[in-house]
Amino acid sequence: MDLSQSPSEQSFRAEVRAWIEKNLPEGWGTPAFKDPRTFEERVAFSKEWEAKLAKDGWVGIHWPKEYGGRGATYMEQIIFHEEMARARAPQLFINFVGTNLAGPTIMAHGSEEQKQRYLPPILSMEEVWCQGFSEPNAGSDLANVQTRAEDRGDHFVVNGQKIWTSFAHVADWCLLLCRTDTSVAKHKGLSYLLVDMKLPGIDPRPLKQITGDAEFNEVFFTDCVVPKEYLLGEMNMGWTYANTTLSHERGPAFLGHQIRFRNVLLDLFKAAQNTKRDGIPVSEHPVFRQKLAGAYAELEIMRYIGLRNITSILKHGRPGTEGSVAKLYWSHMVRRMQELALSVGGPAGALDGEDAMGRGQWQRGYLMSFAQTIAAGSSEIQKNIISERVLGMPRGETWAPREKR
């Protein structure tokens, strides 16, 4: 990969950096700044921050200019995420699904009327989206979706249950994958609806996580009447459209993640210098020094995996199986890093609250690391992709044949 930047890319980086320096929330990053801690506080904070980004055109920068984006190149997207991470700016949180999943999918498969209706409020942060894909029996096996949308002429009647739906209880709209034909192979009988979350018959129920927050939901649909104009594209083409959505789930934020994790590691090094074990700073303790050096090496490996991933995308024009290697690696690397952070802190590392070590960042980071091995495709899914598409191993159906329709 050629790591040099063109004059225009250098200019873009300078523009991003200047905007961030001028617009970070007042006091952000200083000891006096009180981080939003509860889910409700983070939603309010994120809406304000992301609206500020949107106002100056820094939301959906990868979108085409005709739909309100900047038409940013892949390298420019990488630069944007790198600069956000370098400045430790607040991460995009509340409308990730809208800008990264709903928008690109509607652009690819929606009618012109749907594009004009749905895209502007996503960019302006006026409407928040959630993703209704996973079900109790259709998470890893997404084609097994059982939520039914019965065609009643000018509308559908939807019944079923979704689960692990992030932000459903605060979302305005939902990308809903549902079954509309049971007489064909399961991946051919799915359709894709854009559903107003305020319709009668929709009941989102927040799920309490081990962090104490409730970002995920289970969502029940009971005789929910969905107008026909909410159908995206053609009937029974939902599997194709869902794959469009999933292809955007792991975007160019990877190198930005690496920088944010480097920030975490630097914080950990500082904590190790300020914490004593057996009468010496943890950073000088022979057992911990080896582990801290290992964490540094693992982060460097993540960086090079990211560069190889980007090289492949620039060469082939689309993400490949390298994305699965990267996702599998970093999600488990972060778990190991957070476990190390807890051991550096000792009993104090497990505490949360304003007076806890690092204000509880190690405890919360460790608990959140479990979700990171599931989000955007679980580790098991990534291993399946790598085994089948990289190593050429047989598909699971070979060993456990499924009934043919």
Side-chain angles (χ1 to χ4, degrees):
M1 180 181 183
D2 182 3
L3 297 176
S4 61
Q5 293 179 2
S6 68
S8 65
E9 288 166 348
Q10 293 175 11
S11 175
F12 181 80
R13 184 182 292 279
E15 182 184 0
V16 175
R17 185 172 296 186
W19 187 91
I20 294 172
E21 289 175 355
K22 184 179 178 182
N23 290 280
L24 277 176
E26 186 175 355
W28 177 259
T30 67
F33 187 84
K34 299 295 184 184
D35 294 327
R37 299 191 68 83
T38 67
F39 175 76
E40 291 72 20
E41 289 173 346
R42 285 194 289 145
V43 167
F45 175 81
S46 295
K47 282 188 173 181
E48 184 176 346
W49 167 242
E50 292 176 33
K52 182 185 285 188
L53 285 163
K55 178 175 174 292
D56 289 342
W58 294 110
V59 171
I61 63 172
H62 56 298
W63 287 23
K65 291 182 179 179
E66 63 184 294
Y67 294 124
R70 287 176 176 253
T73 66
Y74 201 82
M75 281 305 301
E76 288 173 338
Q77 296 173 56
I78 292 170
I79 289 170
F80 173 77
H81 289 293
E82 284 183 337
E83 287 300 315
M84 290 283 282
R86 185 196 62 79
R88 300 192 179 210
Q91 295 193 65
L92 300 181
F93 174 69
I94 189 62
N95 210 11
F96 176 89
V97 172
T99 54
N100 292 288
L101 306 184
T105 306
I106 293 170
M107 279 186 260
H109 304 295
S111 66
E112 191 55 36
E113 184 179 8
Q114 288 174 327
K115 294 173 187 176
Q116 296 300 325
R117 162 62 186 86
Y118 298 114
L119 297 181
I122 292 175
L123 277 190
S124 65
M125 282 297 301
E126 294 172 76
E127 293 178 346
V128 174
W129 286 69
C130 62
Q131 181 187 10
F133 279 19
S134 295
E135 297 183 359
N137 294 312
S140 300
D141 183 12
L142 185 59
N144 197 39
V145 159
Q146 298 298 310
T147 294
R148 294 280 302 275
E150 187 179 346
D151 189 350
R152 298 279 185 88
D154 64 346
H155 65 273
F156 298 98
V157 175
V158 179
N159 284 283
Q161 178 190 357
K162 297 292 178 179
I163 198 167
W164 310 125
T165 312
S166 300
F167 312 131
H169 57 311
V170 296
D172 301 289
W173 289 86
C174 177
L175 303 171
L176 185 68
L177 189 63
C178 49
R179 186 160 301 284
T180 45
D181 190 342
T182 59
S183 64
V184 295
K186 59 183 182 182
H187 64 285
K188 294 181 178 177
L190 299 172
S191 292
Y192 201 115
L193 303 182
L194 311 175
V195 176
D196 184 346
M197 288 296 287
K198 297 179 183 63
L199 288 175
I202 302 178
D203 180 17
R205 301 177 187 175
L207 296 168
K208 187 75 79 177
Q209 301 155 218
I210 54 176
T211 59
D213 292 331
E215 297 175 10
F216 300 132
N217 290 259
E218 52 183 350
V219 185
F220 295 87
F221 295 84
T222 305
D223 295 330
C224 178
V225 176
V226 178
K228 210 58 167 293
E229 63 259 33
Y230 290 177
L231 174 69
L232 183 73
E234 301 177 25
M235 283 278 285
N236 299 322
M237 288 294 290
W239 182 249
T240 298
Y241 306 156
N243 276 285
T244 298
T245 303
L246 295 173
S247 71
H248 288 87
E249 197 160 14
R250 292 186 288 276
F254 184 84
L255 282 186
H257 287 339
Q258 180 264 143
I259 296 175
R260 290 189 185 275
F261 296 148
R262 187 175 299 279
N263 292 337
V264 173
L265 186 61
L266 292 175
D267 290 344
L268 177 57
F269 286 166
K270 188 176 295 183
Q273 291 170 339
N274 296 328
T275 305
K276 287 192 174 182
R277 191 71 50 80
D278 299 329
I280 60 174
V282 169
S283 59
E284 298 176 18
H285 196 291
V287 173
F288 286 98
R289 285 182 62 184
Q290 182 172 340
K291 291 181 178 178
L292 291 167
Y296 178 85
E298 286 198 321
L299 194 61
E300 285 298 299
I301 292 171
M302 177 183 174
R303 176 169 174 265
Y304 284 107
I305 289 176
L307 293 174
R308 184 173 64 177
N309 195 16
I310 291 167
T311 301
S312 176
I313 292 172
L314 293 177
K315 185 176 181 180
H316 302 294
R318 63 184 186 282
T321 51
E322 296 88 354
S324 292
V325 175
K327 168 60 173 50
L328 180 64
Y329 180 84
W330 77 253
S331 59
H332 287 268
M333 181 209 74
V334 168
R335 173 83 60 81
R336 293 190 289 273
M337 184 188 296
Q338 297 293 355
E339 287 174 345
L340 174 59
L342 287 185
S343 66
V344 166
L351 300 178
D352 193 8
E354 288 296 322
D355 56 349
M357 181 180 178
R359 291 182 171 178
Q361 72 175 102
W362 308 119
Q363 183 252 32
R364 296 176 68 84
Y366 173 72
L367 295 178
M368 279 302 299
S369 70
F370 289 87
Q372 288 165 337
T373 59
I374 299 174
S378 68
S379 296
E380 288 73 20
I381 289 294
Q382 308 308 332
K383 289 176 181 176
N384 274 343
I385 293 172
I386 294 168
S387 64
E388 293 170 7
R389 302 181 191 176
V390 178
L391 303 177
M393 296 175 70
R395 292 176 60 85
E397 286 85 348
T398 301
W399 304 102
R402 295 172 180 171
E403 182 180 350
K404 293 183 179 179
R405 295 180 182 275

